[in-house]
Amino acid sequence: SSGINAEYGDAQETIQSYMSRVSTLEKDAEEKNTINHQLEHAVEVEKTKIGSLQEDITRLDTTVNDLNEKLSKAKSGSAAESKALLIRCQEAEKSKLLLEETTKSEAV
């Protein structure tokens, strides 16, 4: 009878030990689950930040392209204006020379 009681006591201890181990494993699993959720959330936050940065980059690309286009137009516009101004200067120079020649010939 005492042998059976001892075996029963050992079995009870073993069961308690296993229950305690299962409880510890469940707590570990819950903690890991919580950490997983936190990491998943952190990943989502980072993905959102990346998406926002990509939108900013796209917007800046568009702005840079627009500014480059305006700059090109301004350059070609100022080149055309410079050419027109040069032609006017040349015409003025010709008129001046013509006037000088006319003045000299009239003076003679």
Side-chain angles (χ1 to χ4, degrees), residues 18-36:
Y18 284 145
M19 297 280 279
S20 175
R21 181 78 182 127
V22 166
S23 178
T24 302
L25 289 171
E26 284 174 343
K27 283 181 188 166
D28 285 353
E30 280 178 32
E31 286 174 11
K32 286 179 180 165
N33 222 359
T34 301
I35 290 170
N36 264 353

Side-chain angles (χ1 to χ4, degrees), residues 58-97:
T58 302
R59 217 175 1 263
L60 287 171
D61 273 347
T62 302
T63 302
V64 167
N65 288 337
D66 290 349
L67 289 172
N68 280 336
E69 202 174 304
K70 286 178 183 174
L71 184 60
S72 292
K73 285 179 182 175
K75 280 181 181 176
S76 65
S78 63
E81 287 172 21
S82 296
K83 194 171 183 179
L85 192 58
L86 180 65
I87 290 170
R88 275 187 264 150
C89 286
Q90 289 170 341
E91 288 172 353
E93 187 68 26
K94 284 180 193 172
S95 297
K96 184 183 122 189
L97 289 173

Side-chain angles (χ1 to χ4, degrees), residues 51-61:
S52 178
L53 288 172
Q54 286 172 333
E55 287 173 14
D56 289 348
I57 288 170
T58 302
R59 217 175 1 263
L60 287 171
D61 273 347

